[in-house]
PDB file of all heavy atoms in Angstrom:
ATOM      1  N   ILE Q 184      -3.391   2.028   6.497  1.00 92.00           N
ATOM      2  CA  ILE Q 184      -4.554   1.821   5.627  1.00 92.00           C
ATOM      3  C   ILE Q 184      -4.296   2.619   4.354  1.00 92.00           C
ATOM      4  O   ILE Q 184      -3.863   3.776   4.417  1.00 92.00           O
ATOM      5  CB  ILE Q 184      -5.849   2.319   6.285  1.00 92.00           C
ATOM      6  CG1 ILE Q 184      -5.987   1.728   7.694  1.00 92.00           C
ATOM      7  CG2 ILE Q 184      -7.054   1.956   5.439  1.00 92.00           C
ATOM      8  CD1 ILE Q 184      -7.114   2.356   8.476  1.00 92.00           C
ATOM      9  N   SER Q 185      -4.539   2.009   3.213  1.00 88.00           N
ATOM     10  CA  SER Q 185      -4.245   2.720   1.967  1.00 88.00           C
ATOM     11  C   SER Q 185      -5.332   2.459   0.930  1.00 88.00           C
ATOM     12  O   SER Q 185      -5.858   1.344   0.808  1.00 88.00           O
ATOM     13  CB  SER Q 185      -2.886   2.278   1.410  1.00 88.00           C
ATOM     14  OG  SER Q 185      -2.641   2.878   0.153  1.00 88.00           O
ATOM     15  N   ASP Q 186      -5.655   3.528   0.172  1.00 87.00           N
ATOM     16  CA  ASP Q 186      -6.493   3.388  -1.019  1.00 87.00           C
ATOM     17  C   ASP Q 186      -5.655   2.724  -2.114  1.00 87.00           C
ATOM     18  O   ASP Q 186      -4.412   2.636  -2.016  1.00 87.00           O
ATOM     19  CB  ASP Q 186      -6.969   4.781  -1.449  1.00 87.00           C
ATOM     20  CG  ASP Q 186      -8.054   4.689  -2.521  1.00 87.00           C
ATOM     21  OD1 ASP Q 186      -8.611   3.588  -2.698  1.00 87.00           O
ATOM     22  OD2 ASP Q 186      -8.326   5.712  -3.162  1.00 87.00           O
ATOM     23  N   TYR Q 187      -6.317   2.244  -3.185  1.00 86.00           N
ATOM     24  CA  TYR Q 187      -5.570   1.626  -4.295  1.00 86.00           C
ATOM     25  C   TYR Q 187      -5.300   2.625  -5.412  1.00 86.00           C
ATOM     26  O   TYR Q 187      -4.168   2.865  -5.796  1.00 86.00           O
ATOM     27  CB  TYR Q 187      -6.342   0.430  -4.836  1.00 86.00           C
ATOM     28  CG  TYR Q 187      -5.736  -0.100  -6.133  1.00 86.00           C
ATOM     29  CD1 TYR Q 187      -4.560  -0.852  -6.094  1.00 86.00           C
ATOM     30  CD2 TYR Q 187      -6.317   0.178  -7.358  1.00 86.00           C
ATOM     31  CE1 TYR Q 187      -3.981  -1.313  -7.264  1.00 86.00           C
ATOM     32  CE2 TYR Q 187      -5.743  -0.283  -8.534  1.00 86.00           C
ATOM     33  CZ  TYR Q 187      -4.574  -1.032  -8.488  1.00 86.00           C
ATOM     34  OH  TYR Q 187      -4.002  -1.491  -9.635  1.00 86.00           O
ATOM     35  N   ASP Q 188      -6.368   3.234  -5.913  1.00 83.00           N
ATOM     36  CA  ASP Q 188      -6.249   4.078  -7.104  1.00 83.00           C
ATOM     37  C   ASP Q 188      -5.918   5.510  -6.670  1.00 83.00           C
ATOM     38  O   ASP Q 188      -6.787   6.266  -6.232  1.00 83.00           O
ATOM     39  CB  ASP Q 188      -7.574   4.034  -7.880  1.00 83.00           C
ATOM     40  CG  ASP Q 188      -7.408   4.599  -9.278  1.00 83.00           C
ATOM     41  OD1 ASP Q 188      -6.264   4.891  -9.652  1.00 83.00           O
ATOM     42  OD2 ASP Q 188      -8.422   4.729  -9.979  1.00 83.00           O
ATOM     43  N   MET Q 189      -4.622   5.890  -6.775  1.00 86.00           N
ATOM     44  CA  MET Q 189      -4.163   7.223  -6.393  1.00 86.00           C
ATOM     45  C   MET Q 189      -3.212   7.734  -7.456  1.00 86.00           C
ATOM     46  O   MET Q 189      -2.520   6.932  -8.121  1.00 86.00           O
ATOM     47  CB  MET Q 189      -3.466   7.188  -5.034  1.00 86.00           C
ATOM     48  CG  MET Q 189      -4.366   6.811  -3.863  1.00 86.00           C
ATOM     49  SD  MET Q 189      -3.484   6.866  -2.290  1.00 86.00           S
ATOM     50  CE  MET Q 189      -2.423   5.429  -2.496  1.00 86.00           C
ATOM     51  N   PRO Q 190      -3.117   9.039  -7.650  1.00 83.00           N
ATOM     52  CA  PRO Q 190      -2.181   9.599  -8.646  1.00 83.00           C
ATOM     53  C   PRO Q 190      -0.741   9.216  -8.288  1.00 83.00           C
ATOM     54  O   PRO Q 190      -0.394   9.061  -7.129  1.00 83.00           O
ATOM     55  CB  PRO Q 190      -2.408  11.117  -8.529  1.00 83.00           C
ATOM     56  CG  PRO Q 190      -3.732  11.259  -7.881  1.00 83.00           C
ATOM     57  CD  PRO Q 190      -3.922  10.086  -6.992  1.00 83.00           C
ATOM     58  N   GLY Q 191       0.090   9.091  -9.295  1.00 80.00           N
ATOM     59  CA  GLY Q 191       1.483   8.738  -9.028  1.00 80.00           C
ATOM     60  C   GLY Q 191       1.608   7.258  -8.762  1.00 80.00           C
ATOM     61  O   GLY Q 191       1.466   6.423  -9.652  1.00 80.00           O
ATOM     62  N   SER Q 192       1.851   6.882  -7.518  1.00 83.00           N
ATOM     63  CA  SER Q 192       1.973   5.477  -7.123  1.00 83.00           C
ATOM     64  C   SER Q 192       0.635   4.987  -6.593  1.00 83.00           C
ATOM     65  O   SER Q 192      -0.040   5.682  -5.832  1.00 83.00           O
ATOM     66  CB  SER Q 192       3.038   5.318  -6.041  1.00 83.00           C
ATOM     67  OG  SER Q 192       4.296   5.707  -6.521  1.00 83.00           O
ATOM     68  N   ASN Q 193       0.249   3.756  -6.967  1.00 88.00           N
ATOM     69  CA  ASN Q 193      -0.996   3.211  -6.444  1.00 88.00           C
ATOM     70  C   ASN Q 193      -0.767   2.469  -5.130  1.00 88.00           C
ATOM     71  O   ASN Q 193       0.365   2.372  -4.645  1.00 88.00           O
ATOM     72  CB  ASN Q 193      -1.674   2.297  -7.476  1.00 88.00           C
ATOM     73  CG  ASN Q 193      -0.803   1.100  -7.839  1.00 88.00           C
ATOM     74  OD1 ASN Q 193      -0.067   0.583  -6.999  1.00 88.00           O
ATOM     75  ND2 ASN Q 193      -0.891   0.653  -9.086  1.00 88.00           N
ATOM     76  N   GLY Q 194      -1.845   1.920  -4.570  1.00 86.00           N
ATOM     77  CA  GLY Q 194      -1.764   1.270  -3.261  1.00 86.00           C
ATOM     78  C   GLY Q 194      -0.870   0.051  -3.254  1.00 86.00           C
ATOM     79  O   GLY Q 194      -0.210  -0.244  -2.242  1.00 86.00           O
ATOM     80  N   ILE Q 195      -0.809  -0.711  -4.350  1.00 89.00           N
ATOM     81  CA  ILE Q 195       0.046  -1.898  -4.398  1.00 89.00           C
ATOM     82  C   ILE Q 195       1.515  -1.494  -4.372  1.00 89.00           C
ATOM     83  O   ILE Q 195       2.345  -2.089  -3.660  1.00 89.00           O
ATOM     84  CB  ILE Q 195      -0.253  -2.740  -5.658  1.00 89.00           C
ATOM     85  CG1 ILE Q 195      -1.704  -3.209  -5.638  1.00 89.00           C
ATOM     86  CG2 ILE Q 195       0.696  -3.924  -5.737  1.00 89.00           C
ATOM     87  CD1 ILE Q 195      -2.044  -4.115  -4.486  1.00 89.00           C
ATOM     88  N   GLU Q 196       1.864  -0.455  -5.147  1.00 88.00           N
ATOM     89  CA  GLU Q 196       3.249   0.019  -5.143  1.00 88.00           C
ATOM     90  C   GLU Q 196       3.622   0.554  -3.765  1.00 88.00           C
ATOM     91  O   GLU Q 196       4.755   0.372  -3.295  1.00 88.00           O
ATOM     92  CB  GLU Q 196       3.415   1.097  -6.216  1.00 88.00           C
ATOM     93  CG  GLU Q 196       3.243   0.547  -7.642  1.00 88.00           C
ATOM     94  CD  GLU Q 196       3.143   1.669  -8.677  1.00 88.00           C
ATOM     95  OE1 GLU Q 196       2.803   2.799  -8.264  1.00 88.00           O
ATOM     96  OE2 GLU Q 196       3.396   1.412  -9.855  1.00 88.00           O
ATOM     97  N   PHE Q 197       2.678   1.249  -3.126  1.00 88.00           N
ATOM     98  CA  PHE Q 197       2.909   1.737  -1.766  1.00 88.00           C
ATOM     99  C   PHE Q 197       3.154   0.556  -0.816  1.00 88.00           C
ATOM    100  O   PHE Q 197       4.075   0.569  -0.003  1.00 88.00           O
ATOM    101  CB  PHE Q 197       1.696   2.548  -1.320  1.00 88.00           C
ATOM    102  CG  PHE Q 197       1.804   3.123   0.070  1.00 88.00           C
ATOM    103  CD1 PHE Q 197       3.020   3.535   0.600  1.00 88.00           C
ATOM    104  CD2 PHE Q 197       0.665   3.249   0.872  1.00 88.00           C
ATOM    105  CE1 PHE Q 197       3.108   4.063   1.874  1.00 88.00           C
ATOM    106  CE2 PHE Q 197       0.742   3.772   2.141  1.00 88.00           C
ATOM    107  CZ  PHE Q 197       1.974   4.171   2.638  1.00 88.00           C
ATOM    108  N   LEU Q 198       2.323  -0.499  -0.956  1.00 86.00           N
ATOM    109  CA  LEU Q 198       2.472  -1.694  -0.118  1.00 86.00           C
ATOM    110  C   LEU Q 198       3.845  -2.326  -0.323  1.00 86.00           C
ATOM    111  O   LEU Q 198       4.522  -2.724   0.638  1.00 86.00           O
ATOM    112  CB  LEU Q 198       1.352  -2.691  -0.452  1.00 86.00           C
ATOM    113  CG  LEU Q 198       1.504  -4.111   0.125  1.00 86.00           C
ATOM    114  CD1 LEU Q 198       1.539  -4.059   1.647  1.00 86.00           C
ATOM    115  CD2 LEU Q 198       0.343  -4.992  -0.347  1.00 86.00           C
ATOM    116  N   GLU Q 199       4.284  -2.455  -1.573  1.00 88.00           N
ATOM    117  CA  GLU Q 199       5.587  -3.071  -1.839  1.00 88.00           C
ATOM    118  C   GLU Q 199       6.718  -2.277  -1.204  1.00 88.00           C
ATOM    119  O   GLU Q 199       7.669  -2.847  -0.650  1.00 88.00           O
ATOM    120  CB  GLU Q 199       5.797  -3.188  -3.353  1.00 88.00           C
ATOM    121  CG  GLU Q 199       4.851  -4.207  -4.008  1.00 88.00           C
ATOM    122  CD  GLU Q 199       4.932  -4.176  -5.531  1.00 88.00           C
ATOM    123  OE1 GLU Q 199       5.477  -3.177  -6.065  1.00 88.00           O
ATOM    124  OE2 GLU Q 199       4.463  -5.134  -6.176  1.00 88.00           O
ATOM    125  N   THR Q 200       6.626  -0.940  -1.269  1.00 89.00           N
ATOM    126  CA  THR Q 200       7.665  -0.099  -0.649  1.00 89.00           C
ATOM    127  C   THR Q 200       7.655  -0.264   0.863  1.00 89.00           C
ATOM    128  O   THR Q 200       8.705  -0.368   1.509  1.00 89.00           O
ATOM    129  CB  THR Q 200       7.443   1.378  -1.018  1.00 89.00           C
ATOM    130  OG1 THR Q 200       7.435   1.506  -2.438  1.00 89.00           O
ATOM    131  CG2 THR Q 200       8.566   2.239  -0.430  1.00 89.00           C
ATOM    132  N   VAL Q 201       6.447  -0.281   1.445  1.00 89.00           N
ATOM    133  CA  VAL Q 201       6.342  -0.457   2.907  1.00 89.00           C
ATOM    134  C   VAL Q 201       6.914  -1.799   3.327  1.00 89.00           C
ATOM    135  O   VAL Q 201       7.624  -1.914   4.331  1.00 89.00           O
ATOM    136  CB  VAL Q 201       4.864  -0.332   3.352  1.00 89.00           C
ATOM    137  CG1 VAL Q 201       4.704  -0.771   4.805  1.00 89.00           C
ATOM    138  CG2 VAL Q 201       4.384   1.094   3.176  1.00 89.00           C
ATOM    139  N   ARG Q 202       6.645  -2.853   2.565  1.00 88.00           N
ATOM    140  CA  ARG Q 202       7.151  -4.181   2.930  1.00 88.00           C
ATOM    141  C   ARG Q 202       8.676  -4.245   2.852  1.00 88.00           C
ATOM    142  O   ARG Q 202       9.326  -4.955   3.611  1.00 88.00           O
ATOM    143  CB  ARG Q 202       6.549  -5.258   2.018  1.00 88.00           C
ATOM    144  CG  ARG Q 202       5.129  -5.629   2.406  1.00 88.00           C
ATOM    145  CD  ARG Q 202       5.134  -6.401   3.723  1.00 88.00           C
ATOM    146  NE  ARG Q 202       3.783  -6.574   4.254  1.00 88.00           N
ATOM    147  CZ  ARG Q 202       3.268  -5.852   5.212  1.00 88.00           C
ATOM    148  NH1 ARG Q 202       3.991  -4.887   5.763  1.00 88.00           N
ATOM    149  NH2 ARG Q 202       2.039  -6.083   5.653  1.00 88.00           N
ATOM    150  N   GLU Q 203       9.257  -3.460   1.900  1.00 88.00           N
ATOM    151  CA  GLU Q 203      10.721  -3.432   1.803  1.00 88.00           C
ATOM    152  C   GLU Q 203      11.349  -2.763   3.017  1.00 88.00           C
ATOM    153  O   GLU Q 203      12.401  -3.169   3.488  1.00 88.00           O
ATOM    154  CB  GLU Q 203      11.144  -2.688   0.530  1.00 88.00           C
ATOM    155  CG  GLU Q 203      10.840  -3.431  -0.766  1.00 88.00           C
ATOM    156  CD  GLU Q 203      11.183  -2.596  -1.995  1.00 88.00           C
ATOM    157  OE1 GLU Q 203      11.670  -1.455  -1.805  1.00 88.00           O
ATOM    158  OE2 GLU Q 203      10.970  -3.080  -3.116  1.00 88.00           O
ATOM    159  N   ARG Q 204      10.668  -1.742   3.536  1.00 88.00           N
ATOM    160  CA  ARG Q 204      11.255  -0.948   4.625  1.00 88.00           C
ATOM    161  C   ARG Q 204      10.733  -1.338   6.004  1.00 88.00           C
ATOM    162  O   ARG Q 204      11.452  -1.260   6.990  1.00 88.00           O
ATOM    163  CB  ARG Q 204      10.969   0.540   4.392  1.00 88.00           C
ATOM    164  CG  ARG Q 204      11.512   1.046   3.074  1.00 88.00           C
ATOM    165  CD  ARG Q 204      11.182   2.535   2.904  1.00 88.00           C
ATOM    166  NE  ARG Q 204      11.575   3.033   1.582  1.00 88.00           N
ATOM    167  CZ  ARG Q 204      11.372   4.286   1.168  1.00 88.00           C
ATOM    168  NH1 ARG Q 204      10.778   5.167   1.982  1.00 88.00           N
ATOM    169  NH2 ARG Q 204      11.748   4.661  -0.044  1.00 88.00           N
ATOM    170  N   TYR Q 205       9.466  -1.725   6.065  1.00 84.00           N
ATOM    171  CA  TYR Q 205       8.827  -2.040   7.352  1.00 84.00           C
ATOM    172  C   TYR Q 205       8.042  -3.341   7.179  1.00 84.00           C
ATOM    173  O   TYR Q 205       6.812  -3.331   7.082  1.00 84.00           O
ATOM    174  CB  TYR Q 205       7.885  -0.916   7.809  1.00 84.00           C
ATOM    175  CG  TYR Q 205       8.423   0.478   7.603  1.00 84.00           C
ATOM    176  CD1 TYR Q 205       8.076   1.220   6.484  1.00 84.00           C
ATOM    177  CD2 TYR Q 205       9.300   1.047   8.526  1.00 84.00           C
ATOM    178  CE1 TYR Q 205       8.573   2.494   6.291  1.00 84.00           C
ATOM    179  CE2 TYR Q 205       9.800   2.323   8.349  1.00 84.00           C
ATOM    180  CZ  TYR Q 205       9.439   3.053   7.227  1.00 84.00           C
ATOM    181  OH  TYR Q 205       9.929   4.310   7.053  1.00 84.00           O
ATOM    182  N   ASP Q 206       8.728  -4.460   7.128  1.00 72.00           N
ATOM    183  CA  ASP Q 206       8.084  -5.708   6.739  1.00 72.00           C
ATOM    184  C   ASP Q 206       7.092  -6.242   7.762  1.00 72.00           C
ATOM    185  O   ASP Q 206       6.288  -7.118   7.450  1.00 72.00           O
ATOM    186  CB  ASP Q 206       9.127  -6.791   6.439  1.00 72.00           C
ATOM    187  CG  ASP Q 206       9.985  -7.105   7.657  1.00 72.00           C
ATOM    188  OD1 ASP Q 206       9.921  -6.341   8.632  1.00 72.00           O
ATOM    189  OD2 ASP Q 206      10.721  -8.099   7.604  1.00 72.00           O
ATOM    190  N   ASP Q 207       7.129  -5.738   9.006  1.00 82.00           N
ATOM    191  CA  ASP Q 207       6.257  -6.318  10.020  1.00 82.00           C
ATOM    192  C   ASP Q 207       5.042  -5.464  10.367  1.00 82.00           C
ATOM    193  O   ASP Q 207       4.230  -5.840  11.206  1.00 82.00           O
ATOM    194  CB  ASP Q 207       7.054  -6.579  11.313  1.00 82.00           C
ATOM    195  CG  ASP Q 207       7.652  -5.297  11.879  1.00 82.00           C
ATOM    196  OD1 ASP Q 207       7.684  -4.285  11.147  1.00 82.00           O
ATOM    197  OD2 ASP Q 207       8.090  -5.322  13.038  1.00 82.00           O
ATOM    198  N   ILE Q 208       4.873  -4.298   9.726  1.00 90.00           N
ATOM    199  CA  ILE Q 208       3.740  -3.436  10.071  1.00 90.00           C
ATOM    200  C   ILE Q 208       2.486  -3.918   9.339  1.00 90.00           C
ATOM    201  O   ILE Q 208       2.513  -4.200   8.140  1.00 90.00           O
ATOM    202  CB  ILE Q 208       4.049  -1.957   9.726  1.00 90.00           C
ATOM    203  CG1 ILE Q 208       2.919  -1.042  10.225  1.00 90.00           C
ATOM    204  CG2 ILE Q 208       4.240  -1.776   8.229  1.00 90.00           C
ATOM    205  CD1 ILE Q 208       3.270   0.429  10.096  1.00 90.00           C
ATOM    206  N   PRO Q 209       1.335  -4.068  10.003  1.00 92.00           N
ATOM    207  CA  PRO Q 209       0.101  -4.474   9.337  1.00 92.00           C
ATOM    208  C   PRO Q 209      -0.319  -3.452   8.276  1.00 92.00           C
ATOM    209  O   PRO Q 209      -0.243  -2.237   8.502  1.00 92.00           O
ATOM    210  CB  PRO Q 209      -0.916  -4.545  10.483  1.00 92.00           C
ATOM    211  CG  PRO Q 209      -0.087  -4.745  11.712  1.00 92.00           C
ATOM    212  CD  PRO Q 209       1.173  -3.998  11.468  1.00 92.00           C
ATOM    213  N   PHE Q 210      -0.767  -3.943   7.126  1.00 90.00           N
ATOM    214  CA  PHE Q 210      -1.140  -3.081   6.004  1.00 90.00           C
ATOM    215  C   PHE Q 210      -2.504  -3.538   5.481  1.00 90.00           C
ATOM    216  O   PHE Q 210      -2.667  -4.698   5.083  1.00 90.00           O
ATOM    217  CB  PHE Q 210      -0.087  -3.188   4.898  1.00 90.00           C
ATOM    218  CG  PHE Q 210      -0.207  -2.123   3.826  1.00 90.00           C
ATOM    219  CD1 PHE Q 210       0.697  -1.079   3.771  1.00 90.00           C
ATOM    220  CD2 PHE Q 210      -1.219  -2.166   2.866  1.00 90.00           C
ATOM    221  CE1 PHE Q 210       0.599  -0.102   2.774  1.00 90.00           C
ATOM    222  CE2 PHE Q 210      -1.331  -1.202   1.884  1.00 90.00           C
ATOM    223  CZ  PHE Q 210      -0.418  -0.148   1.833  1.00 90.00           C
ATOM    224  N   ILE Q 211      -3.494  -2.631   5.487  1.00 89.00           N
ATOM    225  CA  ILE Q 211      -4.850  -2.943   5.010  1.00 89.00           C
ATOM    226  C   ILE Q 211      -5.124  -2.115   3.762  1.00 89.00           C
ATOM    227  O   ILE Q 211      -5.003  -0.882   3.772  1.00 89.00           O
ATOM    228  CB  ILE Q 211      -5.902  -2.632   6.089  1.00 89.00           C
ATOM    229  CG1 ILE Q 211      -5.655  -3.498   7.337  1.00 89.00           C
ATOM    230  CG2 ILE Q 211      -7.304  -2.867   5.549  1.00 89.00           C
ATOM    231  CD1 ILE Q 211      -6.602  -3.187   8.480  1.00 89.00           C
ATOM    232  N   LEU Q 212      -5.459  -2.812   2.666  1.00 88.00           N
ATOM    233  CA  LEU Q 212      -5.836  -2.123   1.431  1.00 88.00           C
ATOM    234  C   LEU Q 212      -7.349  -1.856   1.487  1.00 88.00           C
ATOM    235  O   LEU Q 212      -8.166  -2.778   1.444  1.00 88.00           O
ATOM    236  CB  LEU Q 212      -5.472  -2.998   0.221  1.00 88.00           C
ATOM    237  CG  LEU Q 212      -5.457  -2.271  -1.129  1.00 88.00           C
ATOM    238  CD1 LEU Q 212      -4.402  -1.171  -1.121  1.00 88.00           C
ATOM    239  CD2 LEU Q 212      -5.167  -3.242  -2.253  1.00 88.00           C
ATOM    240  N   PHE Q 213      -7.736  -0.585   1.586  1.00 87.00           N
ATOM    241  CA  PHE Q 213      -9.128  -0.161   1.737  1.00 87.00           C
ATOM    242  C   PHE Q 213      -9.475   0.658   0.492  1.00 87.00           C
ATOM    243  O   PHE Q 213      -9.164   1.844   0.407  1.00 87.00           O
ATOM    244  CB  PHE Q 213      -9.271   0.667   3.018  1.00 87.00           C
ATOM    245  CG  PHE Q 213     -10.678   1.107   3.317  1.00 87.00           C
ATOM    246  CD1 PHE Q 213     -11.729   0.194   3.321  1.00 87.00           C
ATOM    247  CD2 PHE Q 213     -10.950   2.432   3.625  1.00 87.00           C
ATOM    248  CE1 PHE Q 213     -13.009   0.604   3.609  1.00 87.00           C
ATOM    249  CE2 PHE Q 213     -12.231   2.844   3.920  1.00 87.00           C
ATOM    250  CZ  PHE Q 213     -13.271   1.921   3.909  1.00 87.00           C
ATOM    251  N   THR Q 214     -10.064   0.013  -0.484  1.00 82.00           N
ATOM    252  CA  THR Q 214     -10.159   0.639  -1.800  1.00 82.00           C
ATOM    253  C   THR Q 214     -11.552   0.521  -2.379  1.00 82.00           C
ATOM    254  O   THR Q 214     -12.291  -0.432  -2.118  1.00 82.00           O
ATOM    255  CB  THR Q 214      -9.142  -0.010  -2.765  1.00 82.00           C
ATOM    256  OG1 THR Q 214      -9.324   0.530  -4.055  1.00 82.00           O
ATOM    257  CG2 THR Q 214      -9.312  -1.521  -2.820  1.00 82.00           C
ATOM    258  N   GLY Q 215     -11.900   1.485  -3.202  1.00 76.00           N
ATOM    259  CA  GLY Q 215     -13.167   1.435  -3.915  1.00 76.00           C
ATOM    260  C   GLY Q 215     -13.045   0.712  -5.231  1.00 76.00           C
ATOM    261  O   GLY Q 215     -14.032   0.349  -5.850  1.00 76.00           O
ATOM    262  N   LYS Q 216     -11.828   0.489  -5.689  1.00 70.00           N
ATOM    263  CA  LYS Q 216     -11.611  -0.221  -6.943  1.00 70.00           C
ATOM    264  C   LYS Q 216     -11.314  -1.670  -6.633  1.00 70.00           C
ATOM    265  O   LYS Q 216     -10.171  -2.091  -6.532  1.00 70.00           O
ATOM    266  CB  LYS Q 216     -10.457   0.416  -7.721  1.00 70.00           C
ATOM    267  CG  LYS Q 216     -10.249  -0.208  -9.090  1.00 70.00           C
ATOM    268  CD  LYS Q 216      -9.165   0.529  -9.877  1.00 70.00           C
ATOM    269  CE  LYS Q 216      -8.995  -0.069 -11.263  1.00 70.00           C
ATOM    270  NZ  LYS Q 216      -7.957   0.633 -12.054  1.00 70.00           N
ATOM    271  N   GLY Q 217     -12.342  -2.461  -6.409  1.00 66.00           N
ATOM    272  CA  GLY Q 217     -12.152  -3.846  -6.035  1.00 66.00           C
ATOM    273  C   GLY Q 217     -12.194  -4.758  -7.241  1.00 66.00           C
ATOM    274  O   GLY Q 217     -13.063  -4.633  -8.101  1.00 66.00           O
TER     275      GLY Q 217
END
């Protein structure tokens, strides 16, 4: 589970990195910046 708006890398960049390394793990974007 990841927030979107975070210092450094945001949730989308985090998601892209996770998909490159762990493509089958479920990823939920749980964010206040919708």
Side-chain angles (χ1 to χ4, degrees):
I184 309 170
S185 175
D186 191 15
Y187 170 76
D188 194 7
M189 295 183 289
S192 298
N193 61 34
I195 299 297
E196 294 169 339
F197 180 34
L198 168 61
E199 292 172 344
T200 303
V201 169
R202 282 290 170 259
E203 290 176 1
R204 302 180 185 178
Y205 318 97
D206 61 348
D207 60 346
I208 186 172
F210 192 106
I211 298 176
L212 196 62
F213 183 51
T214 175
K216 185 176 182 179

